Amino acid sequence: MWKTVYAWLDERIGFDSLYTNLLDRPEPKTTWWNTLGSASMFLFILQGLTGIFLTVYYTPSPDHAYDSITYIMEGVAFGWLIRGIHHWGATLMVLVVFIHMLRVFFTASFKFPRELTWLIGIGLFLATLGMGFTGYLLPWNQKAYWATTVGTQIAGTVPFLGEFILKALRGGPELSALTLQRFFAAHIWIIPAVLAALMGLHLYLVIKHGESHFPTKED
Amino acid sequence: MNDETKKQINERYERELGKGERFWPDTLFKDLIMSLGIFVLLILIATFVGIPAEAKADPSDTSYLPRPEWYFLFLFKFLALYGQLPLIGKIEWLATVVIPTIALGALTLVPFIEKSPHRHYSKRMLPISIMIIMVTGIVLMTITSEVPTVSEDGSEVLGILQTIAGIFIPVVAYILFFVFKNNTRLMLWTTSLAAVSMILLSGTVLALAPEKHGEEVEVATTLVDQIVAGQDLYSIHCTECHGDDGSTGIIAGVEGLEGEKITPINSRDVLYTITDASMYEVIAYGRPNSGMPPYGKTYGGELSKSEIDYIVILMRYSWDDRFEAPVIPELFPPLADGEVPSYDVHIEPIVKRYCISCHRPGKDNNNYLMTTYEEILTTGDHAEFNIIAGDENSYFLQTIQGTPILDENGQEIIGIMPPGKLLKPNVVDVFLRWIMNGMPKTAAEAGVLFQTPTPAP
């Protein structure tokens, strides 16, 4: 039975070419420093999964956001663990993505033929920071509220456009229910979609060019 | 880059592939171990560190010290240091927009700025040195982000040291980098010296920094904690008018509101018909026409949003018969025979619940304040007679046992305490034992005085 199913699927998908194209590829000798990119992706997936669980109970309104988080922490079975992983995963993701970028910089892996991979990588880094920035407001506690207040204030100092950016971010001159609503939308739909698309491109390029080798005196 | 170089690079890569590994299983294996390690680490942190509790967002609380996410702290610090610079320090958007945009732009365009095909560090000292100083600066500014630039005594030494470490040294180093860029040795020296001096200066700043005052905010997260927090707040802010159990219908003994008729707030009528949100609003806005002042900070009161929430929760779980209250721990541990109570364990929670409502600054209380141990023993118009170790005639003990203090003409100078309704006998007993045994402060001091009762013959 299993064999028939496998054969049927293989005919349509082609496991062999998948295997040779994706898995059985030659790579130069890699070190532990080369694992940071996949670690970033793992963290993104983990954030996605825990984030989906959190949205089941989370309510993005100033009246209920704080209480819904308290309920996740106290009332939901293993809610504290899911939120704990999401909370610390965010911190770790920023850190891992940043160190990944430093490694690529110091080994000059961004040079020909991987320039485009670097550009997309910068996009990924900024999207990660954006995830952190928008996610920070969602618990609607003192720390979140005031961090977002100063964060958007800094964006508001841009000459000429400052006022517009500030109002666009906050949805008005002050932090309000609108701010929370649009940060929530950005956090769970807009930025993750951009991030996932960029990640797909990034991965495609990494597979196409292979990982760069560790530079020696020759290079 | 010409085709010849590209061909060389590709051939070089082919050679490395020849002596390399397979993606599956070699490379992927390492990746999987790394991800697994991260996963385990996250579970451990989530379990053993957890997430510190924070109070609900309160836009009216302007005393809250705003801080951005930790990974933006360096930017925050940079802005603070930049603001200290003479002249250009005033042009804010230079630091908030122009400099970050240039840095980010340079980072993005790195592949097009650094065009040489060489990858080994010895052949690209300039970019590597710049990055090292940049990252050192970012890390150090993150670490010192909590240190103020101006000390409490007005001295600006800390700010100057930080500006030297965070802005001055990097700028000098960058200039030197472009001068020395063809000399590997000098580059190495400049980078190391700059980085080390930045680290040493920041270390000095940290050592000189004023100790951080622990301004821990108690945040009640479990229902029991919230009810207890609500009880404490209720006793301080509400008891005077509404009574211990919310049953007061006519206010007595409150200046300005004497004889005012109010609705008992513990009745079914009130609890069944008013939602939590309305209760919250009554407490926050007050009832201007019936004498209830606003308690929300936004409206001039003393309570934060979380605190008003706790009071509402307390009211529900204590008086609303549709809610089943969880087991609330006792206010103080019951005393054994011969045990002497201490301020820390017994008196403080009792005083907080039953006395502080009136015995705090700004209330009519003969200047007797009870917010700390020292205040309880030494303040008040009658301090010398009030609490006397081992004396049953202390005013304090007389009044809480229902005997008012009279002057020589028979005029009452201190009424019974608390006014209206005496404390429960076991609470009075705690005060009696405490004063008769010399008012010990800590549990250890009280433990020494413990007398095992002589067994009955």
Side-chain angles (χ1 to χ4, degrees), chain A residues 25 27 30 66 111 142 157 211 213 217, chain B residues 13 21 23 54 58 96 114 116 118-119 123:
Chain A
R25 292 181 288 119
E27 287 279 11
T30 56
Y66 184 83
K111 295 196 168 175
Q142 284 282 71
T157 59
E211 289 184 40
H213 63 276
K217 272 215 138 55
Chain B
Y13 188 59
E21 57 189 38
F23 180 69
E54 269 286 324
D58 193 345
T96 55
E114 198 196 331
S116 94
H118 296 298
R119 290 185 54 206
K123 291 165 190 154

mmCIF file with all atom_site columns, all heavy atoms in Angstrom, chain A residues 25 27 30 66 111 142 157 211 213 217, chain B residues 13 21 23 54 58 96 114 116 118-119 123:
data_model
loop_
_atom_site.group_PDB
_atom_site.id
_atom_site.type_symbol
_atom_site.label_atom_id
_atom_site.label_alt_id
_atom_site.label_comp_id
_atom_site.label_asym_id
_atom_site.label_entity_id
_atom_site.label_seq_id
_atom_site.pdbx_PDB_ins_code
_atom_site.Cartn_x
_atom_site.Cartn_y
_atom_site.Cartn_z
_atom_site.occupancy
_atom_site.B_iso_or_equiv
_atom_site.pdbx_formal_charge
_atom_site.auth_seq_id
_atom_site.auth_comp_id
_atom_site.auth_asym_id
_atom_site.auth_atom_id
_atom_site.pdbx_PDB_model_num
ATOM 1   N N   . ARG A 1 25  ? 23.626 18.170 -2.154 1.00 0.00 ? 25  ARG A N   1
ATOM 2   C CA  . ARG A 1 25  ? 24.439 19.160 -2.838 1.00 0.00 ? 25  ARG A CA  1
ATOM 3   C C   . ARG A 1 25  ? 25.821 19.189 -2.218 1.00 0.00 ? 25  ARG A C   1
ATOM 4   O O   . ARG A 1 25  ? 25.973 18.954 -1.018 1.00 0.00 ? 25  ARG A O   1
ATOM 5   C CB  . ARG A 1 25  ? 23.812 20.550 -2.682 1.00 0.00 ? 25  ARG A CB  1
ATOM 6   C CG  . ARG A 1 25  ? 22.505 20.711 -3.413 1.00 0.00 ? 25  ARG A CG  1
ATOM 7   C CD  . ARG A 1 25  ? 21.963 22.110 -3.221 1.00 0.00 ? 25  ARG A CD  1
ATOM 8   N NE  . ARG A 1 25  ? 21.467 22.336 -1.869 1.00 0.00 ? 25  ARG A NE  1
ATOM 9   C CZ  . ARG A 1 25  ? 21.944 23.248 -1.038 1.00 0.00 ? 25  ARG A CZ  1
ATOM 10  N NH1 . ARG A 1 25  ? 22.963 23.998 -1.384 1.00 0.00 ? 25  ARG A NH1 1
ATOM 11  N NH2 . ARG A 1 25  ? 21.428 23.401 0.162  1.00 0.00 ? 25  ARG A NH2 1
ATOM 12  N N   . GLU A 1 27  ? 28.940 21.070 -0.653 1.00 0.00 ? 27  GLU A N   1
ATOM 13  C CA  . GLU A 1 27  ? 29.153 22.326 0.076  1.00 0.00 ? 27  GLU A CA  1
ATOM 14  C C   . GLU A 1 27  ? 30.630 22.403 0.435  1.00 0.00 ? 27  GLU A C   1
ATOM 15  O O   . GLU A 1 27  ? 31.265 21.373 0.618  1.00 0.00 ? 27  GLU A O   1
ATOM 16  C CB  . GLU A 1 27  ? 28.339 22.328 1.392  1.00 0.00 ? 27  GLU A CB  1
ATOM 17  C CG  . GLU A 1 27  ? 26.839 22.492 1.213  1.00 0.00 ? 27  GLU A CG  1
ATOM 18  C CD  . GLU A 1 27  ? 26.422 23.917 1.011  1.00 0.00 ? 27  GLU A CD  1
ATOM 19  O OE1 . GLU A 1 27  ? 27.282 24.778 0.797  1.00 0.00 ? 27  GLU A OE1 1
ATOM 20  O OE2 . GLU A 1 27  ? 25.194 24.172 1.052  1.00 0.00 ? 27  GLU A OE2 1
ATOM 21  N N   . THR A 1 30  ? 32.000 23.572 6.157  1.00 0.00 ? 30  THR A N   1
ATOM 22  C CA  . THR A 1 30  ? 31.301 24.615 6.914  1.00 0.00 ? 30  THR A CA  1
ATOM 23  C C   . THR A 1 30  ? 31.667 24.535 8.389  1.00 0.00 ? 30  THR A C   1
ATOM 24  O O   . THR A 1 30  ? 32.092 23.493 8.881  1.00 0.00 ? 30  THR A O   1
ATOM 25  C CB  . THR A 1 30  ? 29.780 24.475 6.776  1.00 0.00 ? 30  THR A CB  1
ATOM 26  O OG1 . THR A 1 30  ? 29.404 23.170 7.177  1.00 0.00 ? 30  THR A OG1 1
ATOM 27  C CG2 . THR A 1 30  ? 29.333 24.713 5.351  1.00 0.00 ? 30  THR A CG2 1
ATOM 28  N N   . TYR A 1 66  ? -4.337 43.810 27.683 1.00 0.00 ? 66  TYR A N   1
ATOM 29  C CA  . TYR A 1 66  ? -3.592 43.475 28.898 1.00 0.00 ? 66  TYR A CA  1
ATOM 30  C C   . TYR A 1 66  ? -4.209 42.279 29.611 1.00 0.00 ? 66  TYR A C   1
ATOM 31  O O   . TYR A 1 66  ? -3.514 41.348 30.010 1.00 0.00 ? 66  TYR A O   1
ATOM 32  C CB  . TYR A 1 66  ? -3.562 44.690 29.826 1.00 0.00 ? 66  TYR A CB  1
ATOM 33  C CG  . TYR A 1 66  ? -2.730 44.494 31.073 1.00 0.00 ? 66  TYR A CG  1
ATOM 34  C CD1 . TYR A 1 66  ? -1.358 44.676 31.031 1.00 0.00 ? 66  TYR A CD1 1
ATOM 35  C CD2 . TYR A 1 66  ? -3.317 44.120 32.278 1.00 0.00 ? 66  TYR A CD2 1
ATOM 36  C CE1 . TYR A 1 66  ? -0.590 44.498 32.161 1.00 0.00 ? 66  TYR A CE1 1
ATOM 37  C CE2 . TYR A 1 66  ? -2.552 43.944 33.416 1.00 0.00 ? 66  TYR A CE2 1
ATOM 38  C CZ  . TYR A 1 66  ? -1.196 44.134 33.352 1.00 0.00 ? 66  TYR A CZ  1
ATOM 39  O OH  . TYR A 1 66  ? -0.431 43.942 34.483 1.00 0.00 ? 66  TYR A OH  1
ATOM 40  N N   . LYS A 1 111 ? 30.384 39.080 -1.241 1.00 0.00 ? 111 LYS A N   1
ATOM 41  C CA  . LYS A 1 111 ? 30.976 39.466 -2.534 1.00 0.00 ? 111 LYS A CA  1
ATOM 42  C C   . LYS A 1 111 ? 30.500 38.548 -3.643 1.00 0.00 ? 111 LYS A C   1
ATOM 43  O O   . LYS A 1 111 ? 29.803 37.567 -3.396 1.00 0.00 ? 111 LYS A O   1
ATOM 44  C CB  . LYS A 1 111 ? 32.499 39.437 -2.380 1.00 0.00 ? 111 LYS A CB  1
ATOM 45  C CG  . LYS A 1 111 ? 32.951 40.502 -1.398 1.00 0.00 ? 111 LYS A CG  1
ATOM 46  C CD  . LYS A 1 111 ? 34.406 40.801 -1.478 1.00 0.00 ? 111 LYS A CD  1
ATOM 47  C CE  . LYS A 1 111 ? 34.684 42.059 -0.671 1.00 0.00 ? 111 LYS A CE  1
ATOM 48  N NZ  . LYS A 1 111 ? 36.109 42.364 -0.605 1.00 0.00 ? 111 LYS A NZ  1
ATOM 49  N N   . GLN A 1 142 ? 2.831  49.114 30.647 1.00 0.00 ? 142 GLN A N   1
ATOM 50  C CA  . GLN A 1 142 ? 3.554  50.377 30.771 1.00 0.00 ? 142 GLN A CA  1
ATOM 51  C C   . GLN A 1 142 ? 4.788  50.429 29.871 1.00 0.00 ? 142 GLN A C   1
ATOM 52  O O   . GLN A 1 142 ? 5.011  51.385 29.148 1.00 0.00 ? 142 GLN A O   1
ATOM 53  C CB  . GLN A 1 142 ? 3.990  50.575 32.227 1.00 0.00 ? 142 GLN A CB  1
ATOM 54  C CG  . GLN A 1 142 ? 2.876  50.999 33.135 1.00 0.00 ? 142 GLN A CG  1
ATOM 55  C CD  . GLN A 1 142 ? 2.565  52.475 32.984 1.00 0.00 ? 142 GLN A CD  1
ATOM 56  O OE1 . GLN A 1 142 ? 2.030  52.907 31.983 1.00 0.00 ? 142 GLN A OE1 1
ATOM 57  N NE2 . GLN A 1 142 ? 2.904  53.254 33.992 1.00 0.00 ? 142 GLN A NE2 1
ATOM 58  N N   . THR A 1 157 ? 10.863 62.922 14.176 1.00 0.00 ? 157 THR A N   1
ATOM 59  C CA  . THR A 1 157 ? 11.802 64.038 14.052 1.00 0.00 ? 157 THR A CA  1
ATOM 60  C C   . THR A 1 157 ? 12.331 64.195 12.627 1.00 0.00 ? 157 THR A C   1
ATOM 61  O O   . THR A 1 157 ? 13.115 65.082 12.360 1.00 0.00 ? 157 THR A O   1
ATOM 62  C CB  . THR A 1 157 ? 13.011 63.844 14.990 1.00 0.00 ? 157 THR A CB  1
ATOM 63  O OG1 . THR A 1 157 ? 13.647 62.617 14.645 1.00 0.00 ? 157 THR A OG1 1
ATOM 64  C CG2 . THR A 1 157 ? 12.589 63.823 16.435 1.00 0.00 ? 157 THR A CG2 1
ATOM 65  N N   . GLU A 1 211 ? 26.812 27.726 -0.048 1.00 0.00 ? 211 GLU A N   1
ATOM 66  C CA  . GLU A 1 211 ? 27.372 28.574 1.003  1.00 0.00 ? 211 GLU A CA  1
ATOM 67  C C   . GLU A 1 211 ? 28.794 28.946 0.627  1.00 0.00 ? 211 GLU A C   1
ATOM 68  O O   . GLU A 1 211 ? 29.510 28.151 0.009  1.00 0.00 ? 211 GLU A O   1
ATOM 69  C CB  . GLU A 1 211 ? 27.347 27.831 2.341  1.00 0.00 ? 211 GLU A CB  1
ATOM 70  C CG  . GLU A 1 211 ? 25.934 27.697 2.875  1.00 0.00 ? 211 GLU A CG  1
ATOM 71  C CD  . GLU A 1 211 ? 25.897 27.059 4.240  1.00 0.00 ? 211 GLU A CD  1
ATOM 72  O OE1 . GLU A 1 211 ? 26.773 27.375 5.061  1.00 0.00 ? 211 GLU A OE1 1
ATOM 73  O OE2 . GLU A 1 211 ? 25.007 26.230 4.475  1.00 0.00 ? 211 GLU A OE2 1
ATOM 74  N N   . HIS A 1 213 ? 32.746 29.649 1.007  1.00 0.00 ? 213 HIS A N   1
ATOM 75  C CA  . HIS A 1 213 ? 33.765 28.953 1.817  1.00 0.00 ? 213 HIS A CA  1
ATOM 76  C C   . HIS A 1 213 ? 34.446 29.957 2.735  1.00 0.00 ? 213 HIS A C   1
ATOM 77  O O   . HIS A 1 213 ? 34.431 31.169 2.490  1.00 0.00 ? 213 HIS A O   1
ATOM 78  C CB  . HIS A 1 213 ? 34.771 28.255 0.913  1.00 0.00 ? 213 HIS A CB  1
ATOM 79  C CG  . HIS A 1 213 ? 35.545 29.203 0.061  1.00 0.00 ? 213 HIS A CG  1
ATOM 80  N ND1 . HIS A 1 213 ? 35.070 29.673 -1.144 1.00 0.00 ? 213 HIS A ND1 1
ATOM 81  C CD2 . HIS A 1 213 ? 36.756 29.790 0.235  1.00 0.00 ? 213 HIS A CD2 1
ATOM 82  C CE1 . HIS A 1 213 ? 35.947 30.502 -1.680 1.00 0.00 ? 213 HIS A CE1 1
ATOM 83  N NE2 . HIS A 1 213 ? 36.976 30.595 -0.848 1.00 0.00 ? 213 HIS A NE2 1
ATOM 84  N N   . LYS A 1 217 ? 44.199 32.760 3.161  1.00 0.00 ? 217 LYS A N   1
ATOM 85  C CA  . LYS A 1 217 ? 45.167 33.751 2.654  1.00 0.00 ? 217 LYS A CA  1
ATOM 86  C C   . LYS A 1 217 ? 45.087 33.887 1.137  1.00 0.00 ? 217 LYS A C   1
ATOM 87  O O   . LYS A 1 217 ? 45.385 34.928 0.574  1.00 0.00 ? 217 LYS A O   1
ATOM 88  C CB  . LYS A 1 217 ? 46.580 33.320 3.059  1.00 0.00 ? 217 LYS A CB  1
ATOM 89  C CG  . LYS A 1 217 ? 47.012 33.837 4.420  1.00 0.00 ? 217 LYS A CG  1
ATOM 90  C CD  . LYS A 1 217 ? 48.501 34.159 4.393  1.00 0.00 ? 217 LYS A CD  1
ATOM 91  C CE  . LYS A 1 217 ? 48.863 35.454 5.096  1.00 0.00 ? 217 LYS A CE  1
ATOM 92  N NZ  . LYS A 1 217 ? 48.435 35.590 6.448  1.00 0.00 ? 217 LYS A NZ  1
ATOM 93  N N   . TYR B 2 13  ? 35.972 28.526 -6.017 1.00 0.00 ? 13  TYR B N   1
ATOM 94  C CA  . TYR B 2 13  ? 34.857 27.926 -5.260 1.00 0.00 ? 13  TYR B CA  1
ATOM 95  C C   . TYR B 2 13  ? 34.717 26.449 -5.599 1.00 0.00 ? 13  TYR B C   1
ATOM 96  O O   . TYR B 2 13  ? 34.507 25.626 -4.708 1.00 0.00 ? 13  TYR B O   1
ATOM 97  C CB  . TYR B 2 13  ? 33.555 28.676 -5.569 1.00 0.00 ? 13  TYR B CB  1
ATOM 98  C CG  . TYR B 2 13  ? 32.395 28.254 -4.682 1.00 0.00 ? 13  TYR B CG  1
ATOM 99  C CD1 . TYR B 2 13  ? 32.482 28.383 -3.306 1.00 0.00 ? 13  TYR B CD1 1
ATOM 100 C CD2 . TYR B 2 13  ? 31.232 27.730 -5.229 1.00 0.00 ? 13  TYR B CD2 1
ATOM 101 C CE1 . TYR B 2 13  ? 31.435 27.997 -2.495 1.00 0.00 ? 13  TYR B CE1 1
ATOM 102 C CE2 . TYR B 2 13  ? 30.169 27.343 -4.427 1.00 0.00 ? 13  TYR B CE2 1
ATOM 103 C CZ  . TYR B 2 13  ? 30.279 27.479 -3.054 1.00 0.00 ? 13  TYR B CZ  1
ATOM 104 O OH  . TYR B 2 13  ? 29.244 27.095 -2.249 1.00 0.00 ? 13  TYR B OH  1
ATOM 105 N N   . GLU B 2 21  ? 32.015 19.125 1.811  1.00 0.00 ? 21  GLU B N   1
ATOM 106 C CA  . GLU B 2 21  ? 31.133 18.118 2.398  1.00 0.00 ? 21  GLU B CA  1
ATOM 107 C C   . GLU B 2 21  ? 29.832 18.070 1.609  1.00 0.00 ? 21  GLU B C   1
ATOM 108 O O   . GLU B 2 21  ? 29.657 18.824 0.641  1.00 0.00 ? 21  GLU B O   1
ATOM 109 C CB  . GLU B 2 21  ? 30.861 18.496 3.863  1.00 0.00 ? 21  GLU B CB  1
ATOM 110 C CG  . GLU B 2 21  ? 30.258 19.900 4.007  1.00 0.00 ? 21  GLU B CG  1
ATOM 111 C CD  . GLU B 2 21  ? 30.195 20.382 5.448  1.00 0.00 ? 21  GLU B CD  1
ATOM 112 O OE1 . GLU B 2 21  ? 31.131 20.113 6.214  1.00 0.00 ? 21  GLU B OE1 1
ATOM 113 O OE2 . GLU B 2 21  ? 29.193 21.035 5.789  1.00 0.00 ? 21  GLU B OE2 1
ATOM 114 N N   . PHE B 2 23  ? 25.682 18.643 1.588  1.00 0.00 ? 23  PHE B N   1
ATOM 115 C CA  . PHE B 2 23  ? 24.698 19.409 2.371  1.00 0.00 ? 23  PHE B CA  1
ATOM 116 C C   . PHE B 2 23  ? 23.929 18.461 3.303  1.00 0.00 ? 23  PHE B C   1
ATOM 117 O O   . PHE B 2 23  ? 23.729 18.751 4.481  1.00 0.00 ? 23  PHE B O   1
ATOM 118 C CB  . PHE B 2 23  ? 23.730 20.128 1.430  1.00 0.00 ? 23  PHE B CB  1
ATOM 119 C CG  . PHE B 2 23  ? 22.700 20.929 2.141  1.00 0.00 ? 23  PHE B CG  1
ATOM 120 C CD1 . PHE B 2 23  ? 23.058 22.074 2.828  1.00 0.00 ? 23  PHE B CD1 1
ATOM 121 C CD2 . PHE B 2 23  ? 21.370 20.537 2.154  1.00 0.00 ? 23  PHE B CD2 1
ATOM 122 C CE1 . PHE B 2 23  ? 22.103 22.819 3.510  1.00 0.00 ? 23  PHE B CE1 1
ATOM 123 C CE2 . PHE B 2 23  ? 20.421 21.273 2.845  1.00 0.00 ? 23  PHE B CE2 1
ATOM 124 C CZ  . PHE B 2 23  ? 20.783 22.414 3.524  1.00 0.00 ? 23  PHE B CZ  1
ATOM 125 N N   . GLU B 2 54  ? 4.369  43.404 34.309 1.00 0.00 ? 54  GLU B N   1
ATOM 126 C CA  . GLU B 2 54  ? 4.355  44.855 34.120 1.00 0.00 ? 54  GLU B CA  1
ATOM 127 C C   . GLU B 2 54  ? 2.939  45.346 34.373 1.00 0.00 ? 54  GLU B C   1
ATOM 128 O O   . GLU B 2 54  ? 1.979  44.640 34.077 1.00 0.00 ? 54  GLU B O   1
ATOM 129 C CB  . GLU B 2 54  ? 4.730  45.184 32.674 1.00 0.00 ? 54  GLU B CB  1
ATOM 130 C CG  . GLU B 2 54  ? 6.207  45.413 32.442 1.00 0.00 ? 54  GLU B CG  1
ATOM 131 C CD  . GLU B 2 54  ? 6.689  46.739 32.979 1.00 0.00 ? 54  GLU B CD  1
ATOM 132 O OE1 . GLU B 2 54  ? 5.935  47.715 32.902 1.00 0.00 ? 54  GLU B OE1 1
ATOM 133 O OE2 . GLU B 2 54  ? 7.818  46.781 33.483 1.00 0.00 ? 54  GLU B OE2 1
ATOM 134 N N   . ASP B 2 58  ? -0.605 53.033 31.129 1.00 0.00 ? 58  ASP B N   1
ATOM 135 C CA  . ASP B 2 58  ? -1.297 54.123 31.793 1.00 0.00 ? 58  ASP B CA  1
ATOM 136 C C   . ASP B 2 58  ? -0.814 55.455 31.221 1.00 0.00 ? 58  ASP B C   1
ATOM 137 O O   . ASP B 2 58  ? 0.182  56.007 31.668 1.00 0.00 ? 58  ASP B O   1
ATOM 138 C CB  . ASP B 2 58  ? -1.006 54.050 33.293 1.00 0.00 ? 58  ASP B CB  1
ATOM 139 C CG  . ASP B 2 58  ? -1.930 54.937 34.079 1.00 0.00 ? 58  ASP B CG  1
ATOM 140 O OD1 . ASP B 2 58  ? -2.570 55.795 33.458 1.00 0.00 ? 58  ASP B OD1 1
ATOM 141 O OD2 . ASP B 2 58  ? -2.000 54.785 35.306 1.00 0.00 ? 58  ASP B OD2 1
ATOM 142 N N   . THR B 2 96  ? 18.854 61.671 14.560 1.00 0.00 ? 96  THR B N   1
ATOM 143 C CA  . THR B 2 96  ? 17.770 60.692 14.478 1.00 0.00 ? 96  THR B CA  1
ATOM 144 C C   . THR B 2 96  ? 17.566 60.190 13.058 1.00 0.00 ? 96  THR B C   1
ATOM 145 O O   . THR B 2 96  ? 17.098 59.083 12.859 1.00 0.00 ? 96  THR B O   1
ATOM 146 C CB  . THR B 2 96  ? 16.441 61.302 14.962 1.00 0.00 ? 96  THR B CB  1
ATOM 147 O OG1 . THR B 2 96  ? 16.191 62.488 14.222 1.00 0.00 ? 96  THR B OG1 1
ATOM 148 C CG2 . THR B 2 96  ? 16.484 61.603 16.438 1.00 0.00 ? 96  THR B CG2 1
ATOM 149 N N   . GLU B 2 114 ? 32.563 48.121 -1.288 1.00 0.00 ? 114 GLU B N   1
ATOM 150 C CA  . GLU B 2 114 ? 33.816 47.371 -1.191 1.00 0.00 ? 114 GLU B CA  1
ATOM 151 C C   . GLU B 2 114 ? 33.923 46.491 -2.434 1.00 0.00 ? 114 GLU B C   1
ATOM 152 O O   . GLU B 2 114 ? 33.442 45.366 -2.458 1.00 0.00 ? 114 GLU B O   1
ATOM 153 C CB  . GLU B 2 114 ? 33.801 46.518 0.093  1.00 0.00 ? 114 GLU B CB  1
ATOM 154 C CG  . GLU B 2 114 ? 35.189 46.067 0.477  1.00 0.00 ? 114 GLU B CG  1
ATOM 155 C CD  . GLU B 2 114 ? 35.140 44.931 1.474  1.00 0.00 ? 114 GLU B CD  1
ATOM 156 O OE1 . GLU B 2 114 ? 34.173 44.860 2.251  1.00 0.00 ? 114 GLU B OE1 1
ATOM 157 O OE2 . GLU B 2 114 ? 36.068 44.108 1.446  1.00 0.00 ? 114 GLU B OE2 1
ATOM 158 N N   . SER B 2 116 ? 36.734 45.364 -4.121 1.00 0.00 ? 116 SER B N   1
ATOM 159 C CA  . SER B 2 116 ? 37.840 44.440 -4.354 1.00 0.00 ? 116 SER B CA  1
ATOM 160 C C   . SER B 2 116 ? 37.356 43.011 -4.194 1.00 0.00 ? 116 SER B C   1
ATOM 161 O O   . SER B 2 116 ? 36.498 42.724 -3.364 1.00 0.00 ? 116 SER B O   1
ATOM 162 C CB  . SER B 2 116 ? 38.969 44.714 -3.359 1.00 0.00 ? 116 SER B CB  1
ATOM 163 O OG  . SER B 2 116 ? 38.828 43.877 -2.244 1.00 0.00 ? 116 SER B OG  1
ATOM 164 N N   . HIS B 2 118 ? 38.913 40.588 -2.995 1.00 0.00 ? 118 HIS B N   1
ATOM 165 C CA  . HIS B 2 118 ? 39.599 39.861 -1.922 1.00 0.00 ? 118 HIS B CA  1
ATOM 166 C C   . HIS B 2 118 ? 38.694 39.625 -0.728 1.00 0.00 ? 118 HIS B C   1
ATOM 167 O O   . HIS B 2 118 ? 37.899 40.469 -0.370 1.00 0.00 ? 118 HIS B O   1
ATOM 168 C CB  . HIS B 2 118 ? 40.845 40.631 -1.482 1.00 0.00 ? 118 HIS B CB  1
ATOM 169 C CG  . HIS B 2 118 ? 41.838 40.737 -2.570 1.00 0.00 ? 118 HIS B CG  1
ATOM 170 N ND1 . HIS B 2 118 ? 42.437 39.649 -3.142 1.00 0.00 ? 118 HIS B ND1 1
ATOM 171 C CD2 . HIS B 2 118 ? 42.320 41.837 -3.217 1.00 0.00 ? 118 HIS B CD2 1
ATOM 172 C CE1 . HIS B 2 118 ? 43.268 40.043 -4.096 1.00 0.00 ? 118 HIS B CE1 1
ATOM 173 N NE2 . HIS B 2 118 ? 43.210 41.372 -4.175 1.00 0.00 ? 118 HIS B NE2 1
ATOM 174 N N   . ARG B 2 119 ? 38.853 38.451 -0.103 1.00 0.00 ? 119 ARG B N   1
ATOM 175 C CA  . ARG B 2 119 ? 37.985 38.130 1.029  1.00 0.00 ? 119 ARG B CA  1
ATOM 176 C C   . ARG B 2 119 ? 38.732 37.957 2.337  1.00 0.00 ? 119 ARG B C   1
ATOM 177 O O   . ARG B 2 119 ? 38.134 38.020 3.408  1.00 0.00 ? 119 ARG B O   1
ATOM 178 C CB  . ARG B 2 119 ? 37.190 36.853 0.721  1.00 0.00 ? 119 ARG B CB  1
ATOM 179 C CG  . ARG B 2 119 ? 36.125 37.049 -0.359 1.00 0.00 ? 119 ARG B CG  1
ATOM 180 C CD  . ARG B 2 119 ? 35.293 35.817 -0.530 1.00 0.00 ? 119 ARG B CD  1
ATOM 181 N NE  . ARG B 2 119 ? 34.718 35.386 0.726  1.00 0.00 ? 119 ARG B NE  1
ATOM 182 C CZ  . ARG B 2 119 ? 34.369 34.133 0.997  1.00 0.00 ? 119 ARG B CZ  1
ATOM 183 N NH1 . ARG B 2 119 ? 34.528 33.197 0.091  1.00 0.00 ? 119 ARG B NH1 1
ATOM 184 N NH2 . ARG B 2 119 ? 33.870 33.811 2.165  1.00 0.00 ? 119 ARG B NH2 1
ATOM 185 N N   . LYS B 2 123 ? 43.446 41.532 3.693  1.00 0.00 ? 123 LYS B N   1
ATOM 186 C CA  . LYS B 2 123 ? 43.347 42.385 2.518  1.00 0.00 ? 123 LYS B CA  1
ATOM 187 C C   . LYS B 2 123 ? 42.164 43.339 2.599  1.00 0.00 ? 123 LYS B C   1
ATOM 188 O O   . LYS B 2 123 ? 41.865 44.033 1.632  1.00 0.00 ? 123 LYS B O   1
ATOM 189 C CB  . LYS B 2 123 ? 43.227 41.525 1.263  1.00 0.00 ? 123 LYS B CB  1
ATOM 190 C CG  . LYS B 2 123 ? 44.518 40.779 0.960  1.00 0.00 ? 123 LYS B CG  1
ATOM 191 C CD  . LYS B 2 123 ? 44.280 39.679 -0.037 1.00 0.00 ? 123 LYS B CD  1
ATOM 192 C CE  . LYS B 2 123 ? 45.512 38.785 -0.134 1.00 0.00 ? 123 LYS B CE  1
ATOM 193 N NZ  . LYS B 2 123 ? 45.167 37.430 -0.579 1.00 0.00 ? 123 LYS B NZ  1
#
